[in-house]
Amino acid sequence: MVKAVIFDLDGVITDTAELHYQAWKDLADSISIFFAREFNEQLKGISRMDSLNKILIQGGLADQYNEQEKIALAEKKNKEYIKLLVELTPEHIYSGIKELLDDLKENGVKIGLASASLNGPAILEHLKITEYFDTIVNPNSVKQGKPAPDIFLRAAKDLDVAPSDCIGIEDSEAGICSIKRANMFAVGVGTVEVMKQAGADLIINDTKNLNWSDLLDEYKTK
Ligand code: B16
Ligand code: MG
């Protein structure tokens, strides 16, 4: 029985990756680190501080900053990112997502958000879909970020649903690992090669192909 669907945010509900890229690029420029667009791919699903650490390591500056200075750098990036977030409107919701949310509500399926983003609640507000969510997990409230299962398990607990009765939807490798380690059915949005490697149970190349009856069929045949 599918009793809950737990969504990732960036790359599943909307595309904030470009805005993250612009904000990180701005920060990297300010400390003279080269930051390539391709490198941004490696930051998907990764927390803000882990992203900063990866950027400093690839720029050879990992030892140049103490913890307090790193927090200040991450805050600087986030200020810039929040400025860019005002561009987001309901038109930026990926196709198929609003229809899926409506179908889940109609069928009494609970809805959760398991995003690594501390800006998740603000993004849902910009997209005007907050009221669909029965829980929005604060990523700071769990011990370990993705690929650990903590955030998906917390969402299931909040919703009072057994993990095996949950479907998780993700676009990052770390996110699919997190869902599988939580013992949930994993839907991967992305290319077959990346999502297969990550262990997705169902692979969708585009959110416009996501719909409730197909999800249910695939879950039942698994
Ligand atoms: P913030 P997701 C993730 O969102 C992004 O993919 C990742 O690039 C970002 O660093 C992370 O959120 C933290 O975001 O700085 O807003 O707290 O894919 O888990 O929804
Ligand atoms: Mg994502």
Side-chain angles (χ1 to χ4, degrees), residues 8-10 20 43-48 51 77-78 81 115-119 146 171:
D8 172 47
L9 179 57
D10 177 34
H20 277 296
L43 307 181
K44 286 187 175 173
I46 305 293
S47 76
R48 194 181 306 162
S51 299
K77 178 265 175 177
N78 194 49
Y81 178 63
S115 167
S117 176
L118 291 163
N119 293 297
K146 302 167 189 175
D171 71 310

Side-chain angles (χ1 to χ4, degrees), residues 10 15-29 34-41 43 55 77 80-81 84:
D10 177 34
D15 181 11
T16 50
E18 179 60 27
L19 306 181
H20 277 296
Y21 167 71
Q22 287 176 29
W24 280 128
K25 173 97 179 72
D26 207 63
L27 182 83
D29 286 350
F34 175 68
F35 183 65
R37 189 173 281 277
E38 302 75 59
F39 188 73
N40 197 50
E41 288 301 305
L43 307 181
I55 291 167
K77 178 265 175 177
E80 182 60 26
Y81 178 63
L84 299 173

Side-chain angles (χ1 to χ4, degrees), residues 80 144 181 189 196:
E80 182 60 26
Q144 295 185 81
R181 288 166 71 180
V189 179
K196 208 170 180 183

Side-chain angles (χ1 to χ4, degrees), residues 71-84:
I71 290 169
L73 288 176
E75 277 173 2
K76 188 175 169 199
K77 178 265 175 177
N78 194 49
K79 268 194 187 149
E80 182 60 26
Y81 178 63
I82 286 172
K83 273 194 220 157
L84 299 173

Side-chain angles (χ1 to χ4, degrees), residues 2-7 12-13 96-113 131-134 159 165-169 187 210-216:
V2 181
K3 294 185 183 160
V5 175
I6 302 168
F7 291 79
V12 170
I13 292 177
I97 294 294
K98 196 75 192 296
E99 293 76 1
L100 177 58
L101 291 170
D102 283 327
D103 280 350
L104 295 175
K105 276 279 170 251
E106 266 172 36
N107 287 282
V109 179
K110 291 178 178 170
I111 301 174
L113 190 81
E131 63 280 7
Y132 283 98
F133 288 82
D134 301 299
L159 297 171
D165 290 335
C166 295
I167 291 178
I169 311 180
V187 178
L210 264 177
N211 71 73
W212 172 231
S213 69
D214 287 356
L215 277 187
L216 204 52

Side-chain angles (χ1 to χ4, degrees), residues 154-175:
R154 172 61 60 82
K157 196 163 185 234
D158 288 354
L159 297 171
D160 198 21
V161 172
S164 55
D165 290 335
C166 295
I167 291 178
I169 311 180
E170 261 288 353
D171 71 310
S172 70
E173 276 188 79

